[in-house]
Amino acid sequence: MVINDFIALWHGILGFVFYYPLLMSYLWMIGAILFYWRNERTQPLFNHPPVLEDTPSVSVLVPCFNEGVNAEETIGHALALDYPDFEVIAINDGSTDETAEVLNRLAQKYPKLKVVHLAENQGKAMALQAGSLLAKSEFLIGIDGDALLDPHAAHWMVRHFVAHPHVAAVTGNPRIRNRSTLLGRVQVGEFSSIVGMIKRAQRSFGRLFTVSGVITAFRKSAVHEVGYWSADMLTEDIDITWKLQRAGWDVRFEPNALVWILMPETLKGLWQQRLRWAMGGAQVLLKNIDVFLRPSQNFLWPLMFELCLTLIWSYLMLILVVIWLVGLVVPAGTWPVVGSPLIPQGSGVFLGATCLLQFAISKWLDSRYEKGLGRNYYWMIWYPLVFWVINIATTITAFPKVLFRRDGKRARWVSPDRGIHSLEKKDHE
């Protein structure tokens, strides 16, 4: 009886490990297509936004930490917004490079640019709060210090606030601009097939798990109501999303609001970025797990269920990998036989085919925002080999790190890997 129970449990684990990502993939594809049919299909192209009857002023917040190499290009694009009334506020968060000098020089040249200097590195959350307190506008657009804002992004995001008073935040559509390595090329597809597709699906079925910190517009009064961004959260964008939605506000995704960003192009940089993301997700899980005790917030239960199931799935994958590796060295018949969880075989081929179908649909959806995206499809065959392994490993590593992390510890900036593009610019200078 005990043996039969163990066998049943074993088959249950194998079934969950296989079917969970398969189910989520099809949910994402269906949800993304529904979002496209309802919201994108009849929209004009992103560079021809609809005319707004009301164009309230907008403040663009640009937190900067050691962005001397990228600051001038980023500020230049922000100042080139095609919008009637806006200002740009750059917040130098205690940078140790030439960021302060670059920003001061630009402020003398451009009247629409304000610069705030914080004496010490306080973290992105505090930098955003400092900028929002200085902003004259009710609507804030936050971008990263290396992000190139599309001229029409403000129009696309502001229309949600004007038409819907209950909207607190509108997140945009990040596009990767550095593609000089395999990791860079694969991330181009990832932001379409994973990030963009999931946001579309989440809006179709309910609420967003997170806005994109690299481009999101906020209603300042809503952010003030929930106490601004949390200084101790490693991913302030996930945290503010949950704070706003738990307070009853709506958060939306606007795929026409584009921004071009730099991403890591080394394994070390990619690991550090994904570990921070995973730790931020674990922080949000622990902080918001009580949502299950609040029936009035059941609209967030699916997101929390998915977060919990993804954590369980990652640890089960770890167990299967360990069992597989042990099975390679122990005598046959003394250990459960498990095929490689990392190499497609049998039913895994079907999972891989589903993954490729997801990539194909996502590239079709995003082709209206980035021409020639289909040529990137070839590089996506490497996604499961590299990114699945990294994402699973960071999820497994992140949870215990968060459990033992000191409560209230300030989440400060760490200069990230911005790819070969930034390294070459820095070496040139």
Side-chain angles (χ1 to χ4, degrees):
M1 190 67 166
V2 175
I3 295 176
N4 289 336
D5 290 342
F6 174 79
I7 293 174
L9 175 62
W10 178 249
H11 284 291
I13 291 174
L14 292 177
F16 174 72
V17 167
F18 172 72
Y19 285 110
Y20 176 66
L22 193 68
L23 172 65
M24 294 310 300
S25 181
Y26 280 101
L27 281 177
W28 292 338
M29 286 187 280
I30 292 170
I33 292 172
L34 284 174
F35 182 92
Y36 169 80
W37 188 261
R38 295 170 180 169
N39 301 286
E40 294 179 78
R41 180 173 55 96
T42 58
Q43 293 289 345
L45 292 177
F46 71 91
N47 53 358
H48 292 88
V51 177
L52 299 178
E53 294 183 4
D54 183 18
T55 53
S57 67
V58 166
S59 297
V60 181
L61 308 183
V62 190
C64 301
F65 176 69
N66 289 351
E67 295 288 1
V69 172
N70 300 304
E72 186 162 1
E73 188 176 22
T74 295
I75 298 299
H77 276 74
L79 289 168
L81 265 184
D82 183 13
Y83 193 81
D85 185 8
F86 72 95
E87 64 177 354
V88 177
I89 302 176
I91 307 98
N92 171 32
D93 190 20
S95 298
T96 56
D97 66 351
E98 69 276 14
T99 298
E101 291 78 8
V102 172
L103 294 179
N104 287 338
R105 173 170 53 81
L106 292 173
Q108 293 177 353
K109 185 177 179 181
Y110 300 105
K112 284 191 174 184
L113 174 63
K114 298 178 182 177
V115 176
V116 181
H117 296 288
L118 303 183
E120 296 182 357
N121 178 5
Q122 299 294 318
K124 185 178 180 181
M126 294 303 294
L128 284 169
Q129 181 171 337
S132 65
L133 293 174
L134 182 65
K136 69 175 184 179
S137 309
E138 166 68 353
F139 303 113
L140 316 170
I141 299 178
I143 63 172
D144 280 355
D146 66 325
L148 306 184
L149 194 60
D150 184 81
H152 311 286
H155 268 96
W156 285 108
M157 291 190 284
V158 167
R159 70 185 183 122
H160 292 273
F161 297 119
V162 172
H164 306 283
H166 61 286
V167 171
V170 181
T171 190
N173 188 359
R175 315 305 305 172
I176 310 299
R177 60 188 176 110
N178 52 328
R179 310 169 186 199
S180 50
T181 69
L182 175 61
L183 291 180
R185 296 186 185 105
V186 172
Q187 286 176 98
V188 172
E190 180 190 33
F191 267 70
S192 296
S193 59
I194 306 298
V195 178
M197 178 168 277
I198 289 176
K199 281 184 168 54
R200 287 180 173 90
Q202 287 174 346
R203 276 303 302 178
S204 291
F205 298 137
R207 303 301 180 97
L208 288 182
F209 175 72
T210 181
V211 299
S212 295
V214 70
I215 176 170
T216 298
F218 295 96
R219 188 184 299 270
K220 185 164 64 172
S221 56
V223 175
H224 176 77
E225 178 187 313
V226 300
Y228 295 94
W229 296 266
S230 301
D232 61 336
M233 300 298 285
L234 291 167
T235 48
E236 82 296 327
D237 46 1
I238 306 178
D239 179 67
I240 193 66
T241 308
W242 281 76
K243 287 169 72 172
L244 290 169
Q245 292 179 138
R246 293 195 69 169
W249 291 94
D250 192 18
V251 177
R252 298 194 171 189
F253 171 54
E254 178 49 74
N256 290 283
L258 305 183
V259 68
W260 296 87
I261 64 174
L262 296 171
M263 292 291 284
E265 290 192 298
T266 65
L267 285 174
K268 179 182 178 181
L270 186 65
W271 170 266
Q272 291 174 341
Q273 180 198 61
R274 299 308 162 97
L275 180 60
R276 183 178 66 83
W277 288 1
M279 289 179 66
Q283 283 183 315
V284 167
L285 187 154
L286 295 174
K287 182 177 179 179
N288 295 280
I289 192 70
D290 67 311
V291 75
F292 286 131
L293 305 177
R294 303 179 185 275
S296 63
Q297 297 183 346
N298 57 10
F299 54 86
L300 290 171
W301 288 2
L303 291 177
M304 186 56 70
F305 269 125
E306 182 186 349
L307 190 57
C308 293
L309 289 176
T310 299
L311 182 65
I312 294 170
W313 181 82
S314 297
Y315 276 97
L316 289 178
M317 274 293 292
L318 173 64
I319 293 172
L320 289 183
V321 170
V322 171
I323 292 175
W324 169 62
L325 291 174
V326 173
L328 296 177
V329 297
V330 301
T334 61
W335 195 257
V337 177
V338 179
S340 170
L342 306 177
I343 302 175
Q345 50 186 323
S347 57
V349 174
F350 179 57
L351 184 60
T354 299
C355 184
L356 292 176
L357 175 63
Q358 179 180 328
F359 295 149
I361 292 175
S362 69
K363 291 184 182 303
W364 168 68
L365 291 173
D366 269 6
S367 61
R368 62 185 282 141
Y369 310 110
E370 188 175 346
K371 298 301 181 184
L373 195 59
R375 292 193 296 270
N376 177 257
Y377 187 75
Y378 165 79
W379 301 104
M380 297 313 297
I381 61 174
W382 300 101
Y383 185 85
L385 181 62
V386 179
F387 284 76
W388 275 12
V389 173
I390 288 178
N391 290 341
I392 292 170
T394 53
T395 300
I396 293 168
T397 305
F399 196 72
K401 286 176 74 69
V402 168
L403 283 177
F404 294 105
R405 190 172 188 266
R406 191 169 73 249
D407 289 341
K409 181 180 178 182
R410 180 70 59 82
R412 301 184 187 275
W413 293 85
V414 176
S415 296
D417 173 2
R418 293 284 173 69
I420 307 301
H421 171 81
S422 286
L423 290 176
E424 290 175 347
K425 286 177 65 178
K426 187 173 292 187
D427 290 342
H428 178 73
E429 294 179 358

